[in-house]
Amino acid sequence: MLSNDIIQHHNEKLQAEHQFKLTYLTELLDRKGIDIQTIIDKIKAFQVAIPSWALGTGGTRFGRFPNGGEPRNLEEKIEDVGLIHQLNRSSNSISLHIPWDIPSDANAIKQLLKANDLTIDSVNSNTFQDQKDQPYSYKFGSLSHSKSEVRDLAIQHNIQCIEYGKMLDSKVLTVWLADGSNFPGQSHLRGAYQRTNDSLSSIYKSMPDDWTMLIEYKPYEPHFYSMVIPDWGTSYSLCQNIGKNAQVLVDLGHHLPNTNIEQIVGRLMHFGRLGGFHFNGSMYGDDDLTTGSIKPYQFFLIFNELVDGMQDPSVKNPPLAWMIDASHNTKDPIEDLLQSVNAILTTYAKALLVDRVALVDAQENNDVLRAEELLRDTFLTDARALVAEASRQVGGAIDPIAAFRSAKIRESLVEKRGFSVATGL
Ligand code: LRH
Ligand code: MN
C-alpha cells in the first residue's frame, strides 16, 4: 500500500492547474444546464475490474520483454490492484483466471482483498491450455469436443471454477472457448454448436441461482477457419437456450475490421442480454492494446449507446460487468491499466454529457447534421478534469500515472521482487 501523504502531496502540487480546468468545465456545462457534481458522482460510482493476467508484461509468439517487479503470485497481484485502486479509486475488483490464480488459502486471500478494499468480480475458466497430468487434451476442443470424456473434463473444470469463486465471494463465471477448426471439413459446425450448448447447460445447472454466466465470443484465434462461438449472435442464442442468468460478454477486440460494435451493444441491451465488457483497444484483431488508444470516437459511440440504454426505463438489462482485458507488451502494466481506466471513465463522462432530448428530436426530424454535431461536440469536450476531480474527492490522485511515476513505485517493486515474470498471457 502507498502512504496516503504521497497522494496528498501529489494533489497539492497539481491543485492550481486542476482547479483552473475544473472551473472552466463547470462554467461550460452550467451554460448547458448540466450540474457538474451529478456527473462527478456517477463517475465515482463507475468501477472497472482489473484482470489478474494483465499485471505482468504480455507478449506474442515472437517475444516477451518483461521489465521486472511483476507479481509472482495471487497475493502480489491483489497488492498491485490494491495500489491501482488507491491511486484512481475506480478499480475496486479483480478478475481471476483459473488455474493461474487458484487461491492457496481462501480465507487469507479474502482478508488480503479486504485490506486492499477489493472484491473478486469474475472467475474466468481456461480450457484453451492443457495442464500438466491432464487426462485428455483440449487440442481439438473442450466443451465442443467430439469425445464426451473431454467435454466432461471441461465441464468439471468450469464447475471447479465456480467452487473457487464461491470461496472468494464472486458471483460471475466467464467462459471464453478457443474451440474451433483450422480447415474446411475438420469440424461438423452444427454439431460443435449443439455440443457446446449442452455442455454450457450442464455447467449452468451447477451454478448458484444468484450467479451470472458470461459467454464471450471471438471471430478467430487461436483457430483460423471457424470458432464455435464466433459472434454476438451465437453467444446470444446460447444465452437464450441456457437460462436467464446467461449473458453476452463483449470483448472490444473480438470483432472483424469495420464492425459497428456500438450497434451490437445497443441490440444486446435492447434484448436484455448484455452482460458486460472486456475493454481494450485494437487496430486489426485481438490486439489487446490500451483501451481507447486506437479508435476513441468509436469507443465514445459505444458508451453513447450504453448510456442511452441505461437511462431508458424500458430497457430491462442487468447491471453490466465493466472489466479490462488487455496485454501490455511495451508499456508498464500498471501505468497501462491506469491509462485504460482513465480512458474508460473519461469516455463514460462524455457520454453522460450528451443532450439526449435534443438528439432524439434531431433523429425524429431527420436533421442528420444536427444529430451528428450533438455527438461530435460532446466527444470533442475535454472531460478529463471531471475524472480527476472524482478521484480527488474520494482520496485518489488527480493524475494517478504521474503519482505512480513520481513515487518511483516500479523501481521499488523491482527491488522487492527482482526480475520476476507474472503468470498470464
Ligand atoms: C481471449 C480472451 C479471453 C481470456 C483471454 C485472456 O482472447 O479475450 O477473455 O480468457 O483473452
Ligand atoms: Mn477477453
Side-chain angles (χ1 to χ4, degrees):
M1 290 295 270
L2 207 58
S3 64
N4 273 325
D5 59 7
I6 287 181
I7 292 178
Q8 213 166 333
H9 177 62
H10 159 86
N11 287 350
E12 278 152 16
K13 268 197 316 179
L14 295 188
Q15 183 52 27
E17 165 122 2
H18 168 60
Q19 195 51 51
F20 171 77
K21 293 174 181 166
L22 194 60
T23 305
Y24 164 75
L25 205 47
T26 305
E27 176 66 27
L28 183 77
L29 298 181
D30 186 48
R31 289 162 178 255
K32 294 176 184 227
I34 298 173
D35 168 55
I36 205 167
Q37 192 56 44
T38 308
I39 307 291
I40 290 171
D41 291 342
K42 286 189 175 162
I43 296 169
K44 287 180 197 171
F46 195 105
Q47 295 286 324
V48 181
I50 304 295
S52 68
W53 58 92
L55 292 160
T57 303
T60 71
R61 58 187 168 160
F62 300 107
R64 181 178 182 170
F65 308 91
N67 58 4
E70 298 184 6
R72 296 165 291 187
N73 49 45
L74 180 54
E75 289 76 6
E76 291 184 345
K77 289 179 177 182
I78 292 171
E79 281 166 20
D80 286 6
V81 177
L83 177 74
I84 289 169
H85 187 46
Q86 198 186 355
L87 287 166
N88 66 18
R89 305 310 295 164
S90 299
S91 308
N92 68 359
S93 65
I94 179 171
S95 312
L96 297 187
H97 223 298
I98 305 294
W100 300 332
D101 303 316
I102 292 176
S104 46
D105 171 345
N107 288 329
I109 293 292
K110 283 207 287 190
Q111 275 158 24
L112 187 60
L113 287 165
K114 199 162 184 323
N116 284 275
D117 199 10
L118 298 173
T119 59
I120 300 292
D121 82 314
S122 172
V123 280
N124 291 256
S125 60
N126 175 345
T127 57
F128 52 84
Q129 294 169 330
D130 288 346
Q131 305 307 318
K132 214 162 68 48
D133 315 329
Q134 192 171 296
Y136 308 108
S137 172
Y138 293 137
K139 179 173 182 175
F140 296 113
S142 62
L143 298 180
S144 73
H145 200 287
S146 56
K147 306 292 182 214
S148 60
E149 58 270 24
V150 182
R151 298 197 299 274
D152 293 344
L153 182 70
I155 291 167
Q156 285 317 311
H157 165 71
N158 280 274
I159 293 173
Q160 181 58 54
C161 290
I162 294 169
E163 292 313 310
Y164 287 129
K166 284 185 206 171
M167 292 178 197
L168 299 173
D169 304 330
S170 170
K171 292 191 180 312
V172 181
L173 171 70
T174 297
V175 180
W176 168 67
L177 294 185
D179 295 31
S181 67
N182 279 336
F183 301 96
Q186 172 185 344
S187 163
H188 189 287
L189 300 176
R190 289 187 299 104
Y193 171 89
Q194 194 54 49
R195 292 191 296 269
T196 301
N197 181 84
D198 302 345
S199 299
L200 287 169
S201 298
S202 312
I203 298 166
Y204 185 88
K205 291 191 182 71
S206 309
M207 228 171 59
D209 296 346
D210 61 352
W211 270 57
T212 296
M213 177 189 284
L214 297 177
I215 301 178
E216 186 175 0
Y217 57 89
K218 185 174 182 179
Y220 69 93
E221 192 203 40
H223 288 97
F224 300 100
Y225 173 67
S226 75
M227 293 285 277
V228 173
I229 310 179
D231 54 31
W232 73 273
T234 304
S235 175
Y236 174 59
S237 69
L238 288 166
C239 291
Q240 285 189 300
N241 299 344
I242 290 162
K244 66 177 180 47
N245 291 355
Q247 311 286 345
V248 178
L249 174 58
V250 177
D251 184 312
L252 297 185
H254 293 185
H255 300 90
L256 297 174
N258 308 327
T259 297
N260 186 327
I261 304 174
E262 56 269 29
Q263 186 172 35
I264 293 172
V265 166
R267 285 275 184 289
L268 289 168
M269 279 195 99
H270 204 65
F271 302 153
R273 288 284 182 167
L274 179 63
F277 289 85
H278 274 178
F279 291 123
N280 48 57
S282 75
M283 180 72 173
Y284 303 106
D286 192 20
D287 309 345
D288 281 345
L289 299 172
T290 313
T291 306
S293 59
I294 307 295
K295 301 171 185 145
Y297 190 47
Q298 181 184 48
F299 192 45
F300 165 73
L301 296 173
I302 290 169
F303 263 97
N304 177 54
E305 284 303 322
L306 284 167
V307 170
D308 185 79
M310 289 153 78
Q311 294 183 350
D312 180 343
S314 70
V315 169
K316 304 286 178 246
N317 197 83
L320 293 159
W322 313 110
M323 304 172 281
I324 289 174
D325 178 7
S327 173
H328 323 291
N329 304 357
T330 50
K331 290 179 183 177
D332 179 288
I334 292 180
E335 291 186 0
D336 199 331
L337 289 162
L338 288 169
Q339 198 185 11
S340 288
V341 174
N342 186 275
I344 294 162
L345 295 176
T346 305
T347 307
Y348 171 56
K350 290 182 182 191
L352 291 171
L353 302 178
V354 172
D355 181 341
R356 298 199 176 276
V357 175
L359 181 60
V360 168
D361 178 63
Q363 290 164 338
E364 295 298 321
N365 296 295
N366 299 303
D367 185 340
V368 178
L369 184 137
R370 185 156 168 271
E372 187 200 11
E373 279 304 315
L374 279 163
L375 290 185
R376 264 171 44 76
D377 174 59
T378 313
F379 171 67
L380 297 169
T381 303
D382 185 351
R384 290 175 292 177
L386 294 173
V387 176
E389 179 60 10
S391 175
R392 190 195 66 76
Q393 287 186 5
V394 287
I398 286 172
D399 181 340
I401 293 172
F404 175 83
R405 286 195 170 194
S406 59
K408 297 203 173 318
I409 297 172
R410 178 56 62 191
E411 290 82 347
S412 50
L413 288 173
V414 170
E415 212 169 297
K416 183 172 160 223
R417 299 170 180 172
F419 227 74
S420 50
V421 175
T423 50
L425 289 177

Coordinates of all heavy atoms in Angstrom, one line a residue, residues 25 29 34 39-40 42-43 46 300 303 307 311 342-354 356 378-379 381-388 390:
L25 N -14.7 24.0 -17.0 CA -15.7 23.0 -17.4 C -17.0 23.2 -16.6 O -18.0 23.1 -17.2 CB -15.1 21.6 -17.0 CG -15.6 20.4 -17.8 CD1 -15.6 20.7 -19.3 CD2 -14.7 19.2 -17.5
L29 N -20.4 23.6 -18.7 CA -21.5 22.7 -18.5 C -22.7 23.4 -17.9 O -23.9 23.1 -18.2 CB -21.1 21.5 -17.7 CG -20.0 20.6 -18.4 CD1 -19.6 19.5 -17.5 CD2 -20.4 20.2 -19.8
I34 N -26.1 21.6 -17.2 CA -25.6 20.4 -16.6 C -24.9 20.6 -15.3 O -24.0 21.4 -15.2 CB -24.6 19.7 -17.6 CG1 -25.3 19.3 -18.9 CG2 -24.0 18.4 -17.0 CD1 -24.4 18.8 -20.0
I39 N -22.5 14.6 -12.5 CA -21.7 13.8 -13.4 C -20.5 13.2 -12.6 O -20.2 12.0 -12.7 CB -21.1 14.7 -14.5 CG1 -22.2 15.4 -15.3 CG2 -20.3 13.8 -15.5 CD1 -23.1 14.6 -16.1
I40 N -19.9 14.0 -11.7 CA -18.8 13.5 -10.9 C -19.2 12.3 -10.0 O -18.5 11.3 -9.9 CB -18.2 14.7 -10.1 CG1 -17.5 15.7 -11.0 CG2 -17.3 14.2 -9.0 CD1 -17.1 17.0 -10.3
K42 N -21.6 10.2 -10.6 CA -21.7 9.0 -11.5 C -20.4 8.4 -11.8 O -20.2 7.2 -11.8 CB -22.5 9.3 -12.7 CG -24.0 9.6 -12.5 CD -24.8 9.7 -13.8 CE -26.3 9.8 -13.5 NZ -27.0 10.4 -14.6
I43 N -19.4 9.2 -12.0 CA -18.0 8.7 -12.3 C -17.5 8.0 -11.1 O -16.9 6.9 -11.2 CB -17.1 9.9 -12.7 CG1 -17.6 10.6 -14.0 CG2 -15.7 9.4 -12.9 CD1 -16.8 11.9 -14.3
F46 N -18.6 4.5 -10.9 CA -18.2 3.6 -12.0 C -16.9 2.9 -11.7 O -15.9 3.5 -11.7 CB -18.1 4.4 -13.3 CG -18.1 3.6 -14.6 CD1 -19.2 3.5 -15.4 CD2 -17.0 2.9 -14.9 CE1 -19.2 2.8 -16.6 CE2 -17.0 2.1 -16.1 CZ -18.1 2.1 -16.9
F300 N -16.3 6.1 -27.8 CA -17.4 7.1 -27.4 C -18.7 6.7 -27.8 O -19.7 6.7 -27.1 CB -17.0 8.5 -27.8 CG -18.1 9.5 -27.7 CD1 -18.5 10.0 -26.5 CD2 -18.8 9.9 -28.8 CE1 -19.6 10.9 -26.3 CE2 -19.9 10.8 -28.7 CZ -20.3 11.3 -27.5
F303 N -20.1 4.0 -25.7 CA -20.7 4.5 -24.4 C -21.9 5.3 -24.6 O -22.8 5.3 -23.8 CB -19.6 5.3 -23.7 CG -18.9 4.4 -22.6 CD1 -17.7 3.8 -22.9 CD2 -19.5 4.2 -21.4 CE1 -17.1 3.0 -22.0 CE2 -18.9 3.4 -20.5 CZ -17.6 2.8 -20.7
V307 N -25.1 4.5 -22.4 CA -25.8 5.5 -21.5 C -27.2 5.7 -22.0 O -28.2 5.7 -21.2 CB -25.0 6.8 -21.5 CG1 -25.9 7.9 -20.8 CG2 -23.7 6.7 -20.8
Q311 N -30.2 4.8 -19.4 CA -31.2 5.9 -19.0 C -32.6 5.7 -19.5 O -33.5 6.5 -19.2 CB -30.6 7.3 -19.5 CG -29.3 7.7 -18.8 CD -28.8 9.0 -19.2 OE1 -29.3 9.7 -20.1 NE2 -27.8 9.5 -18.5
N342 N -8.6 5.4 -16.9 CA -8.9 6.8 -17.2 C -9.6 7.1 -18.5 O -10.6 7.8 -18.5 CB -7.6 7.6 -17.1 CG -7.8 9.1 -17.2 OD1 -8.0 9.6 -18.3 ND2 -7.9 9.8 -16.1
A343 N -9.2 6.3 -19.5 CA -9.9 6.5 -20.8 C -11.3 6.0 -20.7 O -12.3 6.6 -21.3 CB -9.1 5.6 -21.9
I344 N -11.6 4.9 -20.0 CA -13.0 4.4 -19.8 C -13.8 5.4 -19.1 O -14.9 5.8 -19.5 CB -12.9 3.1 -19.1 CG1 -12.2 2.0 -19.9 CG2 -14.4 2.6 -18.7 CD1 -11.8 0.8 -19.1
L345 N -13.3 6.0 -18.0 CA -14.1 6.9 -17.2 C -14.3 8.2 -18.0 O -15.4 8.8 -17.9 CB -13.4 7.2 -15.9 CG -13.2 6.0 -14.9 CD1 -12.4 6.5 -13.7 CD2 -14.6 5.5 -14.5
T346 N -13.3 8.7 -18.7 CA -13.4 9.9 -19.4 C -14.5 9.8 -20.6 O -15.3 10.7 -20.8 CB -12.1 10.3 -20.1 OG1 -11.1 10.4 -19.0 CG2 -12.1 11.6 -20.8
T347 N -14.5 8.6 -21.2 CA -15.4 8.4 -22.3 C -16.8 8.2 -21.7 O -17.8 8.7 -22.3 CB -15.0 7.1 -23.1 OG1 -13.6 7.2 -23.4 CG2 -15.8 6.9 -24.3
Y348 N -17.0 7.5 -20.6 CA -18.3 7.4 -19.9 C -18.8 8.8 -19.6 O -19.9 9.2 -19.8 CB -18.1 6.6 -18.7 CG -19.4 6.5 -17.8 CD1 -20.6 6.2 -18.2 CD2 -19.2 6.9 -16.4 CE1 -21.7 6.1 -17.4 CE2 -20.3 6.8 -15.6 CZ -21.6 6.4 -16.1 OH -22.7 6.4 -15.2
A349 N -17.9 9.7 -19.0 CA -18.3 11.0 -18.6 C -18.8 11.8 -19.9 O -19.8 12.5 -19.8 CB -17.1 11.7 -18.0
K350 N -18.1 11.7 -21.0 CA -18.6 12.4 -22.2 C -20.0 11.9 -22.6 O -20.8 12.7 -22.9 CB -17.6 12.1 -23.3 CG -16.2 12.8 -23.2 CD -15.4 12.6 -24.4 CE -14.0 13.2 -24.2 NZ -13.2 13.2 -25.5
A351 N -20.2 10.6 -22.5 CA -21.5 10.1 -22.9 C -22.6 10.6 -22.0 O -23.7 10.8 -22.5 CB -21.4 8.5 -22.9
L352 N -22.2 10.9 -20.8 CA -23.2 11.4 -19.8 C -23.6 12.9 -20.2 O -24.6 13.4 -19.8 CB -22.7 11.4 -18.4 CG -22.5 10.0 -17.7 CD1 -21.8 10.1 -16.4 CD2 -23.9 9.3 -17.5
L353 N -22.7 13.5 -21.0 CA -22.9 15.0 -21.3 C -23.8 15.1 -22.5 O -24.2 16.2 -22.9 CB -21.6 15.6 -21.5 CG -20.6 15.6 -20.3 CD1 -19.3 16.3 -20.7 CD2 -21.2 16.2 -19.1
V354 N -24.1 14.0 -23.3 CA -24.9 14.1 -24.5 C -26.3 14.7 -24.2 O -26.9 14.2 -23.2 CB -25.0 12.8 -25.2 CG1 -25.9 12.9 -26.4 CG2 -23.6 12.4 -25.7
R356 N -29.6 14.2 -24.7 CA -30.4 13.2 -25.3 C -31.7 13.6 -25.8 O -32.3 13.1 -26.8 CB -30.5 12.0 -24.4 CG -29.2 11.4 -24.1 CD -29.0 10.1 -23.5 NE -27.6 9.8 -23.5 CZ -26.8 9.4 -24.5 NH1 -27.4 9.1 -25.6 NH2 -25.5 9.3 -24.4
T378 N -19.9 16.8 -28.1 CA -19.7 16.2 -26.8 C -18.4 15.4 -26.8 O -17.6 15.5 -25.9 CB -20.8 15.3 -26.4 OG1 -22.0 16.0 -26.7 CG2 -20.8 14.9 -25.0
F379 N -18.1 14.7 -27.9 CA -16.9 13.9 -28.0 C -15.7 14.8 -27.9 O -14.6 14.5 -27.3 CB -16.9 13.1 -29.3 CG -15.5 12.4 -29.6 CD1 -15.1 11.4 -28.8 CD2 -14.7 12.9 -30.6 CE1 -13.8 10.8 -29.0 CE2 -13.5 12.3 -30.9 CZ -13.0 11.2 -30.0
T381 N -15.4 17.5 -26.2 CA -15.3 18.2 -25.0 C -14.3 17.5 -24.1 O -14.3 16.3 -24.0 CB -16.7 18.2 -24.2 OG1 -17.7 18.8 -25.1 CG2 -16.7 18.9 -22.9
D382 N -13.3 18.2 -23.5 CA -12.3 17.6 -22.7 C -12.9 17.4 -21.3 O -12.9 18.3 -20.5 CB -11.1 18.5 -22.6 CG -9.9 17.9 -21.8 OD1 -10.2 16.8 -21.3 OD2 -8.8 18.4 -21.8
A383 N -13.2 16.1 -21.0 CA -13.9 15.8 -19.7 C -12.9 15.3 -18.7 O -13.3 14.8 -17.6 CB -14.9 14.7 -20.0
R384 N -11.6 15.3 -19.0 CA -10.6 14.7 -18.1 C -10.6 15.3 -16.7 O -10.4 14.6 -15.7 CB -9.2 14.8 -18.7 CG -9.1 13.8 -19.9 CD -7.7 14.0 -20.6 NE -7.6 15.3 -21.2 CZ -6.5 15.7 -21.8 NH1 -5.4 15.0 -21.8 NH2 -6.4 16.9 -22.4
A385 N -10.9 16.6 -16.6 CA -10.9 17.2 -15.2 C -12.1 16.7 -14.4 O -11.9 16.6 -13.1 CB -11.1 18.7 -15.4
L386 N -13.1 16.1 -15.0 CA -14.2 15.5 -14.2 C -13.7 14.3 -13.5 O -14.0 14.0 -12.4 CB -15.4 15.2 -15.1 CG -16.1 16.4 -15.8 CD1 -17.1 15.8 -16.8 CD2 -16.8 17.2 -14.7
V387 N -12.9 13.5 -14.3 CA -12.4 12.2 -13.8 C -11.4 12.5 -12.7 O -11.4 11.9 -11.6 CB -11.8 11.4 -14.9 CG1 -11.2 10.1 -14.4 CG2 -12.9 11.0 -16.0
A388 N -10.5 13.5 -12.9 CA -9.5 13.9 -11.9 C -10.2 14.3 -10.6 O -9.8 13.9 -9.5 CB -8.6 15.0 -12.5
A390 N -13.3 13.5 -9.6 CA -13.9 12.4 -9.0 C -12.9 11.6 -8.1 O -13.2 11.2 -7.0 CB -14.5 11.5 -10.0

